[in-house]
Amino acid sequence: MNAIAEEEGFEVEIKPMDFKGIIPAITANQLDGAIAGISITDERKKVVDFSDPYYQAGLSLIVHEDNADIQSPEDLKGKIIAIKKGTSGANLADEYAKTYGATVKYFDDSPSMYQEVANKNADATLEDFPVISYKIAIDPNAKLKIVGDRLNGDFYGIAVAKGDTELQKKINDGLKKLQENGKYDEIVGKYLGTTAK
């Protein structure tokens, strides 16, 4: 976001906040926009507008590093899933609860959700692939591992207030410039050790 703002000549102030409060804050005009690993969904598009997609994320299934029993969603039968409220992972966890008879425990933040699995109080969690990849890469004590393939192919977008076409255009223009000049791949490589799709 800082690189986009620099390309397009506007200032940005970053305000960390709980994920579940981000979209309500945009709709209440408390934020101009948000970049927070927000998957572009039809439901969210009803209340906010999105930039062009900037990363194909997808959800991953995560278990304790010692767990050899869970390799796919089918293995969640009768298991406990820890999940963060208000996320696309929560929607998928709810589906798995219905399909496989799993139990879902909800949390307000990612660290609490991860800790529940690390402490073996929950059997699994669902998290965006780049987020959990970064967590495991920087935290040697995470006690977590990713199992199986990505569960979906969600794309991340930068959310802006519905109808704010001026900010949306600036973000899209800046994003395109970053992708063309190579800075985008540098940023993704720095934080995830890969190039974006």
Side-chain angles (χ1 to χ4, degrees), residues 39-47:
S39 297
I40 300 170
T41 65
D42 290 338
E43 185 180 348
R44 288 175 177 158
K45 284 196 280 189
K46 291 175 186 172
V47 292

Side-chain angles (χ1 to χ4, degrees), residues 8-194:
E8 292 302 301
F10 65 90
E11 290 187 13
V12 62
E13 180 185 352
I14 305 292
K15 290 185 173 183
M17 63 186 299
D18 284 345
F19 189 86
K20 70 180 188 298
I22 291 172
I23 289 179
I26 294 172
T27 59
N29 295 315
Q30 295 167 347
L31 298 173
D32 296 304
I35 181 168
I38 305 172
S39 297
I40 300 170
T41 65
D42 290 338
E43 185 180 348
R44 288 175 177 158
K45 284 196 280 189
K46 291 175 186 172
V47 292
V48 295
D49 289 332
F50 282 99
S51 68
D52 294 332
Y54 69 88
Y55 192 87
Q56 185 172 8
L59 289 164
S60 290
L61 181 60
I62 299 100
V63 298
H64 190 279
E65 62 186 3
D66 296 339
N67 188 318
D69 299 331
I70 299 172
Q71 298 296 321
S72 69
E74 291 78 17
D75 298 324
L76 293 172
K77 185 174 182 180
K79 304 294 186 186
I80 298 170
I81 305 170
I83 206 73
K84 184 167 64 173
K85 296 175 190 170
T87 61
S88 56
N91 295 336
L92 193 55
D94 290 340
E95 282 183 36
Y96 291 161
K98 290 175 191 165
T99 306
Y100 304 115
T103 301
V104 182
K105 292 171 78 172
Y106 299 94
F107 295 88
D108 288 326
D109 57 69
S110 293
S112 300
M113 175 178 83
Y114 301 148
Q115 199 61 48
E116 197 74 357
V117 177
N119 290 344
K120 298 185 179 180
N121 294 323
D123 301 292
T125 186
L126 305 172
E127 180 62 283
D128 292 350
F129 174 78
V131 176
I132 194 61
S133 297
Y134 179 70
K135 162 73 177 166
I136 293 170
I138 64 162
D139 183 0
N141 300 312
K143 298 181 183 175
L144 303 171
K145 68 179 178 182
I146 298 169
V147 293
D149 296 325
R150 292 187 213 187
L151 304 170
N152 58 18
D154 283 3
F155 283 92
Y156 285 165
I158 300 168
V160 299
K162 200 83 179 150
D164 190 347
T165 53
E166 183 183 345
L167 181 57
Q168 185 183 37
K169 184 180 185 317
K170 284 182 181 178
I171 290 170
N172 284 337
D173 289 349
L175 182 59
K176 187 176 180 185
K177 287 174 189 171
L178 292 174
Q179 289 167 332
E180 288 172 352
N181 66 23
K183 287 184 186 174
Y184 176 80
D185 283 336
E186 283 178 28
I187 294 167
V188 172
K190 177 180 178 182
Y191 291 100
L192 298 179
T194 63

